[in-house]
Amino acid sequence: ECAVIPSVCGPNSNCTNTIGSYTCSCLNGFSVTSPDFSINVNNMCQDVNECAVIPSVCGPNSNCTNTIGSYNCSCLNGFSVTSPDFSINNINNTCQDVNECAVIPSVCGPNSNCTNTIGSYNCSCLNGFNVNECAVIPSVCGPNSNCTNTIGSYNCSCLNGFSVTSPGFSINVNNTCQGTKYMQRKPIKKNHL
């Protein structure tokens, strides 16, 4: 029967001749539509969604993508397969955290600390670096002053015509720039008619 009627079992199946009859079985990754009935063209083998049937088929920290008759596994961002030469599975080749701080030491840039987290990483600036105090705290120098950002700090200076209240101390909100020059009034000229 298998040779005479090749499609006797329907798609995605194997036909095996027996003495006086035949048997049908589904290919790997497929199952019969209605298990209570024999496989045939009216009760065909359909794709098994392994990702739904066996949610842990790919193991932790992974994505499972169903394909016709099979499935594919991939690691989530921030994770890598233990042995890249073998397929990802849930037993002995799972997706493990990537330590981005060790693999890519410059990932956070200069003057920073990198802290690995599960599936990602965090960056923080070293004390005093990459913080523009002038922009973050516009009033850091107090009124009547200029703030200049520097690497790791900032400098304050008084605007023209102003000087620091206590010259022996740094300019700040508690030691502000005060006016030193008084504007002189120009006499108003009167037109005589």
Side-chain angles (χ1 to χ4, degrees):
E1 287 84 6
C2 296
V4 175
I5 310 168
S7 62
V8 68
C9 293
N12 307 312
S13 63
N14 288 318
C15 182
T16 306
N17 278 316
T18 60
I19 297 173
S21 188
Y22 64 94
T23 60
C24 298
S25 61
C26 291
L27 297 173
N28 284 339
F30 295 88
S31 66
V32 65
T33 306
S34 297
D36 295 335
F37 300 101
S38 299
I39 300 168
N40 60 52
V41 292
N42 295 318
N43 191 30
M44 298 180 283
C45 296
Q46 293 184 336
D47 176 54
V48 172
N49 183 344
E50 294 85 356
C51 303
V53 175
I54 312 164
S56 64
V57 69
C58 293
N61 309 311
S62 63
N63 287 316
C64 182
T65 305
N66 188 56
T67 61
I68 301 299
S70 188
Y71 61 95
N72 289 320
C73 298
S74 60
C75 292
L76 296 172
N77 286 339
F79 295 88
S80 180
V81 66
T82 308
S83 298
D85 296 335
F86 299 100
S87 297
I88 300 168
N89 62 54
N90 65 351
I91 299 169
N92 58 5
N93 201 30
T94 58
C95 296
Q96 301 295 316
D97 176 54
V98 172
N99 183 343
E100 295 86 354
C101 302
V103 175
I104 311 165
S106 63
V107 68
C108 290
N111 305 314
S112 62
N113 287 317
C114 182
T115 305
N116 189 57
T117 61
I118 301 300
S120 190
Y121 61 94
N122 289 321
C123 298
S124 60
C125 297
L126 293 175
N127 286 340
F129 283 93
N130 292 344
V131 175
N132 184 343
E133 294 87 355
C134 301
V136 174
I137 311 166
S139 62
V140 69
C141 294
N144 308 313
S145 63
N146 284 318
C147 182
T148 305
N149 191 51
T150 62
I151 295 176
S153 189
Y154 62 94
N155 289 322
C156 297
S157 61
C158 291
L159 295 173
N160 285 336
F162 296 88
S163 63
V164 65
T165 306
S166 298
F169 300 98
S170 298
I171 300 168
N172 59 50
V173 292
N174 297 316
N175 190 29
T176 61
C177 297
Q178 300 293 318
T180 58
K181 293 183 180 177
Y182 295 98
M183 294 184 69
Q184 293 180 349
R185 289 189 175 186
K186 292 185 179 181
I188 298 173
K189 292 185 180 179
K190 295 183 181 179
N191 290 335
H192 294 333
L193 295 175

Short mmCIF file of all heavy atoms in Angstrom, two decimals, residues 137-161:
data_model
loop_
_atom_site.label_atom_id
_atom_site.label_comp_id
_atom_site.label_asym_id
_atom_site.label_seq_id
_atom_site.Cartn_x
_atom_site.Cartn_y
_atom_site.Cartn_z
N ILE A 137 23.17 71.31 39.30
CA ILE A 137 22.80 72.23 40.39
C ILE A 137 23.15 73.65 39.92
O ILE A 137 24.21 74.18 40.27
CB ILE A 137 23.57 71.89 41.69
CG1 ILE A 137 23.47 70.40 42.01
CG2 ILE A 137 23.04 72.71 42.87
CD1 ILE A 137 24.45 69.94 43.06
N PRO A 138 22.29 74.27 39.12
CA PRO A 138 22.63 75.57 38.53
C PRO A 138 23.00 76.64 39.56
O PRO A 138 23.77 77.54 39.28
CB PRO A 138 21.37 75.97 37.77
CG PRO A 138 20.63 74.70 37.54
CD PRO A 138 20.99 73.79 38.68
N SER A 139 22.48 76.53 40.78
CA SER A 139 22.75 77.56 41.79
C SER A 139 23.93 77.19 42.69
O SER A 139 24.12 77.80 43.74
CB SER A 139 21.50 77.78 42.65
OG SER A 139 21.17 76.58 43.33
N VAL A 140 24.76 76.22 42.28
CA VAL A 140 25.84 75.73 43.13
C VAL A 140 26.80 76.84 43.55
O VAL A 140 27.37 76.80 44.64
CB VAL A 140 26.58 74.55 42.46
CG1 VAL A 140 27.37 74.99 41.25
CG2 VAL A 140 27.49 73.83 43.45
N CYS A 141 27.01 77.84 42.72
CA CYS A 141 27.94 78.94 43.03
C CYS A 141 27.25 80.14 43.65
O CYS A 141 27.91 81.08 44.08
CB CYS A 141 28.67 79.38 41.76
SG CYS A 141 29.77 78.13 41.08
N GLY A 142 25.94 80.14 43.70
CA GLY A 142 25.22 81.29 44.23
C GLY A 142 24.96 82.33 43.16
O GLY A 142 25.38 82.18 42.00
N PRO A 143 24.31 83.44 43.53
CA PRO A 143 23.96 84.47 42.55
C PRO A 143 25.18 85.28 42.12
O PRO A 143 26.21 85.30 42.81
CB PRO A 143 22.95 85.34 43.31
CG PRO A 143 23.30 85.15 44.75
CD PRO A 143 23.80 83.74 44.87
N ASN A 144 25.07 85.94 40.99
CA ASN A 144 26.09 86.85 40.47
C ASN A 144 27.42 86.15 40.20
O ASN A 144 28.50 86.71 40.43
CB ASN A 144 26.31 88.04 41.42
CG ASN A 144 25.02 88.74 41.77
OD1 ASN A 144 24.22 89.03 40.89
ND2 ASN A 144 24.81 88.98 43.04
N SER A 145 27.34 84.90 39.76
CA SER A 145 28.56 84.11 39.56
C SER A 145 28.50 83.30 38.28
O SER A 145 27.43 83.11 37.70
CB SER A 145 28.78 83.18 40.75
OG SER A 145 27.70 82.25 40.83
N ASN A 146 29.66 82.82 37.86
CA ASN A 146 29.78 81.88 36.73
C ASN A 146 30.22 80.54 37.30
O ASN A 146 31.09 80.49 38.19
CB ASN A 146 30.86 82.34 35.74
CG ASN A 146 30.37 83.48 34.88
OD1 ASN A 146 29.25 83.49 34.42
ND2 ASN A 146 31.25 84.46 34.67
N CYS A 147 29.67 79.48 36.77
CA CYS A 147 30.08 78.13 37.15
C CYS A 147 30.75 77.51 35.94
O CYS A 147 30.21 77.54 34.83
CB CYS A 147 28.87 77.30 37.57
SG CYS A 147 29.29 75.62 38.12
N THR A 148 31.94 76.93 36.13
CA THR A 148 32.67 76.27 35.05
C THR A 148 32.91 74.82 35.44
O THR A 148 33.53 74.55 36.47
CB THR A 148 34.03 76.98 34.81
OG1 THR A 148 33.79 78.36 34.57
CG2 THR A 148 34.77 76.36 33.63
N ASN A 149 32.39 73.91 34.61
CA ASN A 149 32.59 72.48 34.89
C ASN A 149 34.03 72.09 34.59
O ASN A 149 34.62 72.53 33.62
CB ASN A 149 31.61 71.64 34.05
CG ASN A 149 31.60 70.20 34.49
OD1 ASN A 149 31.44 69.91 35.66
ND2 ASN A 149 31.76 69.30 33.54
N THR A 150 34.61 71.25 35.44
CA THR A 150 35.95 70.70 35.22
C THR A 150 35.87 69.20 35.42
O THR A 150 34.88 68.69 35.95
CB THR A 150 36.98 71.30 36.20
OG1 THR A 150 36.59 70.96 37.54
CG2 THR A 150 37.07 72.81 36.06
N ILE A 151 36.90 68.47 35.03
CA ILE A 151 36.89 67.02 35.22
C ILE A 151 36.94 66.73 36.72
O ILE A 151 37.88 67.08 37.40
CB ILE A 151 38.07 66.35 34.50
CG1 ILE A 151 37.91 66.53 33.00
CG2 ILE A 151 38.18 64.87 34.87
CD1 ILE A 151 39.07 66.00 32.19
N GLY A 152 35.90 66.13 37.21
CA GLY A 152 35.84 65.74 38.60
C GLY A 152 35.39 66.83 39.55
O GLY A 152 35.29 66.58 40.74
N SER A 153 35.10 68.02 39.07
CA SER A 153 34.71 69.10 39.98
C SER A 153 34.09 70.25 39.19
O SER A 153 33.58 70.07 38.09
CB SER A 153 35.93 69.58 40.77
OG SER A 153 35.52 70.46 41.80
N TYR A 154 34.19 71.48 39.76
CA TYR A 154 33.71 72.70 39.12
C TYR A 154 34.41 73.88 39.77
O TYR A 154 34.96 73.78 40.87
CB TYR A 154 32.19 72.84 39.25
CG TYR A 154 31.70 72.93 40.67
CD1 TYR A 154 31.49 74.18 41.28
CD2 TYR A 154 31.48 71.79 41.43
CE1 TYR A 154 31.06 74.26 42.59
CE2 TYR A 154 31.05 71.87 42.73
CZ TYR A 154 30.84 73.10 43.31
OH TYR A 154 30.41 73.20 44.61
N ASN A 155 34.42 75.01 39.09
CA ASN A 155 34.99 76.25 39.62
C ASN A 155 33.94 77.33 39.56
O ASN A 155 33.16 77.42 38.61
CB ASN A 155 36.21 76.70 38.79
CG ASN A 155 37.39 75.79 39.01
OD1 ASN A 155 37.65 75.33 40.11
ND2 ASN A 155 38.13 75.53 37.94
N CYS A 156 33.96 78.20 40.58
CA CYS A 156 33.07 79.34 40.63
C CYS A 156 33.88 80.62 40.52
O CYS A 156 34.98 80.72 41.08
CB CYS A 156 32.30 79.36 41.96
SG CYS A 156 31.22 77.95 42.21
N SER A 157 33.34 81.59 39.82
CA SER A 157 33.96 82.91 39.73
C SER A 157 32.86 83.96 39.74
O SER A 157 31.74 83.69 39.31
CB SER A 157 34.83 83.03 38.48
OG SER A 157 34.03 82.85 37.33
N CYS A 158 33.21 85.13 40.26
CA CYS A 158 32.22 86.20 40.31
C CYS A 158 32.11 86.89 38.96
O CYS A 158 33.10 87.00 38.23
CB CYS A 158 32.62 87.23 41.38
SG CYS A 158 32.48 86.59 43.07
N LEU A 159 30.92 87.35 38.64
CA LEU A 159 30.71 88.14 37.43
C LEU A 159 31.47 89.45 37.57
O LEU A 159 31.78 89.89 38.69
CB LEU A 159 29.21 88.42 37.24
CG LEU A 159 28.31 87.22 36.97
CD1 LEU A 159 26.84 87.67 36.97
CD2 LEU A 159 28.66 86.57 35.64
N ASN A 160 31.76 90.10 36.46
CA ASN A 160 32.41 91.41 36.49
C ASN A 160 31.59 92.36 37.34
O ASN A 160 30.36 92.40 37.23
CB ASN A 160 32.55 91.99 35.08
CG ASN A 160 33.66 91.30 34.31
OD1 ASN A 160 34.58 90.76 34.91
ND2 ASN A 160 33.57 91.35 32.99
N GLY A 161 32.28 93.09 38.19
CA GLY A 161 31.60 94.05 39.07
C GLY A 161 31.18 93.45 40.39
O GLY A 161 30.56 94.12 41.21
#
